């Protein structure tokens, strides 16, 4: 079992030894209790999609250009009239209090140092009111709805009142996924760690009641649209028809996600379905993609295939486990720096210039 | 050699530790005598098709939809005016008395607890009359014909009189397959285990007389059609022209099977030839597919490619070896539960809604 | 080094333990001196084509038919007005005296017991006159020409006078191949073993003078045609244009071969170029293919892609090393038996019925 | 750490034991300090392109022809009115003084013995003036420009005055690549080794100031064209549009390179983008390709896809480490000999006859 002292941020390994995002996982595996590591690392079924989320990026070839003016590089992304400092966000992930004593506070501080948004999970172990006090960058809220509309409505009002700038409703989890590996590891929330915003999932760890979300349907998006005053994203879209329907209901943005490959195995990698969704969305709303982001080249590929921004998940959780706030900040710094270098190396001075002409072989039009 | 006491159903490993079908094989390998394990596990030749039967499912990508009403899920399948409780059957497999003391009795009881049909092999080690007494779900009979039409005719009358609801004649085994690995293991029926319905194959274990079935020809299907009063299936079809010819002879159903990859190596995975057969059959008769079913997603894929139902083979044999009747029931329970979860996760409330629009990338039409 | 007693045919492993051709290689590796094993096993360069010769067969999918009359199976192949008992020949291979004390005598006796032709290499270690005395099946002669036309002419006359029924001139080896692995192993002919029909290659083992064959050109085929009174085959054709040109010069048959992947690495597998050559040849002459034949399914695939017959190479050399004449006979028996079984299992009663309709997916026409 | 005595050219392994280029790497790994080995061996990111540079060659299939006159083979390549003795050059590589005591002197001598050009890096550890004294074959100069045009201009004049016949300006490195593995190894120039022609990169080893080259833009090619009196190549082109633009600015040649896969991971293998560039260049200027050349077949493939010549990189560095001048000479000898053998084996008497008709399957036109 984890010795609580070992991951208080005083890691034996100095953070400057972490040179790329893949470095964090083996270090986190050393420091985390096995069930917690398994909770983060595992995917659904035989984990074919889990692997595919990364391999799909690996297969994409970037076709670089040379001799353009890349003396300065612009990574800012306009979004709803403001600017994100970079096209990178931190994806929602539950139970961070089981990963590091600082829990989501470490994450919000690390994100704040880089100035990038953090999407807080409904299953946060720290109340949103405490997180917002430490936030130096936008907080967004990931929403698991519950059968009780009153509870959901109260929750939305509460997080918006706290200052969350967006609500991202997860639509891909009517029941919990086929998480064989996670169930085998027997992950449970440690004593003293709870989920203040989830009445039912709190003490249950991975064993959430399967009936929890199965009610959520298209008409609920209409209802959510009527009560959400901040920006409303739907998270978990993989099909262009579903993206289109959600946009017609007035959502502000589409999150292309396969839930980190935790729900159904052998569904496509998100980066592979992105082009079809990008084409259907046709610029009406921004599109964010998550799943498999490990390198600056991955961010570049997502953007050249039409994403407005990306969300990174597991790497920052491993970094949190290894180094708390400092780990998260280091993780973001490495990915951002790689993106800036890669932009220069492919001859593009701005993320706004990225499109599929950067992909080899040329995509048939 | 196997200690007979070790697999009487009092397995050291509690069955609730088995979380998915792939869990049963390593446990069965521990408990089974090596030649018996090899008999179950092995395939023809270099076992390329054996692996391919599973890999072909792994390669298919499901394209899930969201926000549909999946509060209740319907897995029932109408068949010949009745309803199957789920699209899952137990495939025929010989010599189950060598796998567990209860033999086919364990299987029929396990299937009965789940209410799904069990297709009993001609090479059953328990007489069909005894099995039918324990049956709480339909029994079907897999038929190996023999040169002696009188013997075959008597056998069909006997099993139909006992209450079998269907006869599934195997048409893909004019001679025994190229079973290098099985022959090397030297599988033989243990003392005291016999095949009461197979006059010639009984004591011979894997060394069945190659001339056993080589007589079986198209005209025999005509003859069988004339004597079978229950439903007649042909098992072992891989080519649309053969499916069509059999249907024109009046068979009630087509079983797409490569004999569990035990006969010829480097033939296609069944799931890969299914679409062409589904298109040719064009709904005239139901189509069942076996080979490689290990996950709920596999069942879903078979149905979306046109199967009416699937048959599972090796996993329930391993489960029988590990836990007898309880093992078989657990195995069926796990697969059925995965199917129900996956249906919800892909946004389909009924197996009747499954078609190829759920496959990514879209199939050219 | 090899203890001469160990492979005199009194192998410790009884030959009935060899159940398929791949069984012979590991046993041969045990009994052969390392350089001799390497000489047989190795290919050119990084051995990509060596592996590909087998993998290309593995990738081809057979589409079996059912319920045809396969009670008797016909494997005979008409050739030049006679009948071969099966579509299998033994490929030419040098230096068999280094592999087993009986050398080519073991091979000719083993081939004779199965009644299949053996193509004797110019680099045979037993004179053709001695081999012909033991032959119970046709002997063919593989010819390496030499700059001295008189010597070549004498050699052709000598082997034809001895009773060889065909001369197969190797056209793909103007210089020795890039045989890195063979050179590293330092293969040399053992003392007392020589090549009586090769004046220059005799004592040199693998270190044949690179200038040996580089003279051979198209006009020499004209000349050979004028002096060869038996059947003239060109061996080493991979391009349809070369096949066509040779046929127009009057050769009797085409041998599609990449020299067992021993000459140039990363050239195609023979089975992959066969269809294009078959189409160009258009039945004018028979076509034989070698390279990668290990299973009955491989023979079937070669025939369904247009080959008249196949030559097997390395497997019979390993069998010779393991068991001399008995080993060669066992090796041929296993392959022939697999072919007969596979014919029945795919629903074909004769090798003459094989064509590309047996290939899945259907080949676009 | 390296014992300075071990790689003075008195290698324990005689050079005639090196039979092919891949033999040098493991031997060099034994003799080199770990950080230096890592500096040579490593690539950008996850090293997908590093592997792909070789695998792309492995995937290409050569379609050999037979019976042509290949008694003599011509490897000469006309270039700018002179003849190269072979289509092989030594690619630029920095810091060779860290790899062997003789540094670039060993390389220039080895290249001279084979009569092939050596492209000296700006980061040479031996001044160009000393190298030119030992040169028995053309020296070309690889140029990293610096912000200070005066410095660059002086450098070009100096190397041209010394006798360099070409200036190859690197255009693909506005910042240093994402060299995770190299950074982890902590490569630094050893004491006493410096880069006399690089004012800023000298003592910094791998830690070159990222701002070093980011200024270089298309207008600088115009300027370079105006000051370079010898031949001007642009090195690092992967896109046909960039090749075209450079040619229109008057450059003398295009070097298709991905910087040995050291800059951006998951960009295409050079051999895969070569055909598109060859087609656009359309013979206006010569095209040289580097990256992944390990075998004579690789040289052949590059030429048949349109390259005028190739540059070999890592193999000669390993050979230098192992055997100094003798190692480099052996390395070139092996590759050249393989090329000559392969030409004969594919039926081509001259490198000038190579085109894509030698590629299988036939390329759609």
């Amino acid at each position: 079992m984890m010795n609580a002292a070992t991951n208080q941020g005083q890691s034996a390994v100095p953070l400057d030894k972490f040179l790329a995002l893949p470095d964090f996982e083996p270090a986190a595996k050393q420091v985390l209790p096995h069930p917690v590591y398994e909770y983060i690392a595992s995917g659904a079924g035989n984990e074919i999609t889990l692997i595919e989320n990364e391999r799909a990026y690996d297969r994409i070839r970037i076709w670089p250009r040379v001799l353009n003016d890349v003396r300065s590089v612009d990574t800012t992304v306009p979004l709803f009239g403001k600017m994100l400092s970079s096209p990178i966000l931190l994806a929602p992930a539950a139970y961070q209090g089981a990963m590091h004593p600082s829990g989501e506070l470490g994450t919000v501080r690390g994100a704040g140092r880089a100035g990038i948004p953090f999407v807080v999970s409904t299953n946060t172990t720290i109340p949103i009111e405490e997180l917002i006090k430490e936030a130096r960058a936008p907080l967004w809220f990931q929403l698991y709805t519950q059968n009780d509309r009153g509870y959901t409505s109260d929750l939305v009002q509460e997080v918006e009142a706290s200052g969350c700038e967006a609500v991202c409703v997860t639509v891909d989890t009517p029941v919990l996924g086929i998480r064989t590996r996670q169930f085998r590891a027997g992950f449970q929330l440690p004593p003293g760690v709870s989920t203040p915003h989830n009445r039912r999932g709190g003490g249950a760890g991975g064993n959430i009641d399967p009936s929890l979300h199965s009610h959520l349907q298209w008409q609920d998006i209409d209802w959510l649209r009527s009560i959400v005053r901040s920006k409303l994203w739907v998270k978990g879209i993989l099909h262009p028809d579903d993206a289109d329907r959600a946009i017609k209901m007035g959502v502000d943005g589409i999150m292309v996600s396969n839930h980190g490959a935790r729900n159904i195995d052998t569904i496509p990698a998100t980066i592979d379905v992105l082009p079809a969704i990008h084409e259907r969305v046709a610029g009406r709303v921004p599109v964010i993609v998550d799943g498999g982001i490990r390198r600056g080249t991955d961010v570049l590929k997502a953007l050249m295939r039409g994403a407005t921004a990306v969300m990174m998940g597991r790497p920052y959780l491993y970094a949190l486990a290894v180094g708390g706030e400092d780990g998260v900040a280091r993780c973001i710094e490495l990915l951002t720096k790689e993106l800036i270098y890669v932009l220069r190396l492919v001859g593009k001075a701005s993320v706004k210039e990225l499109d599929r002409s950067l992909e080899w072989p040329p995509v048939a039009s």
Side-chain angles (χ1 to χ4, degrees), chain A:
Chain A
M1 283 294 289
M2 160 174 76
N3 180 330
T6 62
N7 68 349
Q8 301 274 345
Q10 290 77 25
S11 167
V13 181
L15 286 168
D16 60 5
K17 294 294 181 190
F18 292 86
L19 300 178
L21 271 58
D23 292 352
F24 290 105
E25 176 166 357
K29 193 174 180 179
Q30 296 286 332
V31 71
L32 283 172
H34 178 69
V36 179
Y37 169 73
E38 290 289 289
Y39 174 77
I40 303 173
S42 63
N46 295 332
E47 304 194 331
I48 289 170
T49 295
L50 182 73
I51 294 169
E52 184 73 359
N53 265 356
E54 296 188 30
R55 286 301 89 75
Y57 279 105
D58 292 347
R59 283 194 300 263
I60 299 170
R61 293 284 167 271
I62 301 168
W63 211 2
R65 307 301 299 267
V66 296
L67 292 168
N68 294 325
D69 182 355
V70 292
R71 285 171 299 178
S72 72
V73 167
D74 177 11
T75 62
T76 61
V77 176
L79 190 70
F80 307 135
K82 298 184 181 175
M83 288 306 243
L84 299 179
S85 65
S86 96
I88 302 169
L89 296 83
L90 299 192
Y95 311 138
Q96 298 184 17
M99 302 169 195
H100 189 267
S102 65
E104 287 80 1
L105 275 172
T107 304
V108 79
R109 289 176 189 138
R113 276 158 58 177
I116 73 171
F118 168 38
V119 186
V120 182
S121 168
T122 293
N123 290 319
T124 176
T125 61
I126 309 276
I128 199 85
E129 297 78 5
E130 293 189 31
L131 297 177
I132 207 86
K133 292 181 203 156
E134 300 285 329
R136 299 289 170 271
L139 274 199
W140 297 9
F141 186 76
Q142 176 272 335
L143 174 69
Y144 280 126
T145 61
Q146 305 203 0
N147 261 316
D148 181 345
R149 278 194 172 185
Y151 183 86
T152 297
S153 178
D154 290 350
L155 180 57
V156 166
Q157 289 188 2
E158 179 186 354
V159 301
E160 291 185 330
S162 296
C164 281
E165 299 185 7
V167 170
C168 312
V169 59
T170 295
V171 297
D172 62 6
T173 314
V175 286
L176 207 64
I178 310 294
R179 303 186 181 179
T180 314
R181 184 173 157 202
Q182 173 183 323
F183 297 157
R184 200 183 311 283
F187 172 70
Q188 297 286 336
L189 278 187
V193 177
S194 65
T195 56
H197 297 297
N198 186 345
R199 281 192 299 196
R200 302 176 66 180
N207 301 317
I208 294 171
D209 178 353
S211 68
L212 187 58
H213 312 292
S214 63
H215 65 95
L216 190 68
Q217 299 173 41
W218 282 108
Q219 57 261 39
D220 298 300
I221 302 301
D222 261 338
W223 174 75
L224 277 173
R225 177 67 293 180
S226 73
I227 66 159
V228 169
R229 294 167 186 257
S230 61
K231 299 301 175 183
L232 176 63
W233 296 76
V234 285
K235 176 171 178 288
I237 298 290
L238 291 175
H239 199 289
D241 291 352
D242 286 340
D244 186 64
R245 187 163 175 183
I247 292 168
K248 286 174 175 158
M249 284 185 167
V251 304
D252 296 297
I254 300 291
M255 287 180 164
V256 175
S257 174
N258 56 26
H259 212 112
R262 300 169 84 84
N263 279 0
I264 324 172
D265 201 15
T266 71
I267 58 177
T270 48
I271 189 64
D272 281 340
V273 295
L274 178 59
I277 294 174
H278 170 61
E279 186 182 12
R280 183 72 67 85
V281 170
R284 288 176 287 171
V285 299
V287 174
I288 288 177
V289 67
D290 70 7
I293 297 287
R294 300 292 180 270
R295 286 282 186 178
T297 43
D298 299 337
V299 182
L300 186 95
K301 287 168 184 178
L303 270 55
M304 79 192 200
R305 285 194 165 186
T308 309
V310 305
M311 293 195 295
M312 159 183 39
R314 289 179 179 88
Y316 88 79
L317 299 177
Y318 295 131
L320 176 70
V322 167
E325 167 187 348
D326 292 341
V328 172
R330 175 70 176 163
C331 179
I332 300 168
E333 175 198 5
L334 286 169
L335 187 62
T336 306
K337 187 177 168 193
E338 280 195 4
L339 174 61
I340 292 170
Y341 268 63
V342 168
L343 281 166
R344 278 185 166 132
L345 288 164
V346 303
K348 297 292 178 184
S350 165
V351 293
K352 296 169 197 69
E353 297 174 23
L354 302 176
D355 61 29
R356 234 169 157 187
S357 68
L358 265 181
E359 192 165 334
W360 180 91
V363 180
S365 61

